[in-house]
Amino acid sequence: MTSEAKRTVVVTGGSRGIGRAICLALAGPDTHLFFNYHSAGEAAEKTIALVGEKGGTAEGVQADVASPESVSAFFKQIMEKTGRIDVLVNNAGVTKDGLIAMMKEADWDTVLNINLKGAFNCIKSATRPMMKQRGGRIINITSVVGAMGNAGQANYAASKAGLIGLTKSAARELASRNITVNAVAPGFVETDMTDAMTDKAREALQTQIPLRRFGQVDEVAATVAFLASDAAAYITGQVIHVNGGMYI
């Protein structure tokens, strides 16, 4: 990529929470930012507006990462507009919690299809242009529970653990083309989900975290921005934990 060219950044699940923070961390005048959303149209418009305030441009596209056809159409649209993909951040994810003995098969399938297969679909679509460019950055957002497990989240933990394996395998496959693949594993982060917790539940969780607080979305986004930068060119196949010491 020449110094005059804008880099093309793709973030899945970029309309709110950690995904929005990642979009803002990667946005700027030198970047074409694209993100997908599933159904949050108003939230997507807010992300676009916030990126604009940073002097960047963003396009939100409704796309289902679990569908190979939808992902293919999403990336085709990006390639038609910019002709390249420099950074892919696989952030899209869902939870459908429940104990294994009571978990519905549909809830297992939904979480695995979006969280794990969705990342696979996007990586598959992004690697061809990245290989042609002989360079790129892929960053997968996994989770602390993918490393340590969590009762009541067997499907979510399995999807995030699988994402770690996918990260390491893709890193080995793509290193010869100067494409790095890494993962960021957040712990408990201040989002709409944690805001809805009772004070008692929050306090109980924070006792498990050596730093005694939840993380901020900007702290996760800053780690992603580092991995997407030239400064991280010699880092690949790694999982960086952003969890306040919850899992060491």
Side-chain angles (χ1 to χ4, degrees), residues 129-136 176-179:
M130 284 185 176
M131 290 172 72
K132 186 176 180 181
Q133 295 160 198
R134 300 195 69 83
S176 65
R177 297 300 183 97
N178 197 34
I179 301 167

Side-chain angles (χ1 to χ4, degrees), residues 236-247:
T236 195
Q238 304 304 306
V239 182
I240 299 182
H241 290 270
V242 185
N243 61 32
M246 184 178 180
Y247 174 82

Side-chain angles (χ1 to χ4, degrees), residues 27-28 58 66 73-74 81 88 100 114 133 159 162 171 182 213 233:
F74 177 42
K81 291 184 176 181
L88 166 64
I100 292 172
I114 293 173
Q133 295 160 198
S159 71
N182 292 288
R213 68 174 177 86

Side-chain angles (χ1 to χ4, degrees), residues 96-108 150-155:
K96 288 188 176 293
D97 297 347
L99 297 173
I100 292 172
M102 304 295 290
M103 185 174 290
K104 297 177 181 177
E105 184 177 352
D107 289 345
W108 173 273
N150 196 30
Q153 287 193 309
N155 50 0

Side-chain angles (χ1 to χ4, degrees), residues 218-232:
D218 290 344
E219 292 174 311
V220 178
T223 307
V224 173
F226 166 68
L227 290 173
S229 73
D230 291 341

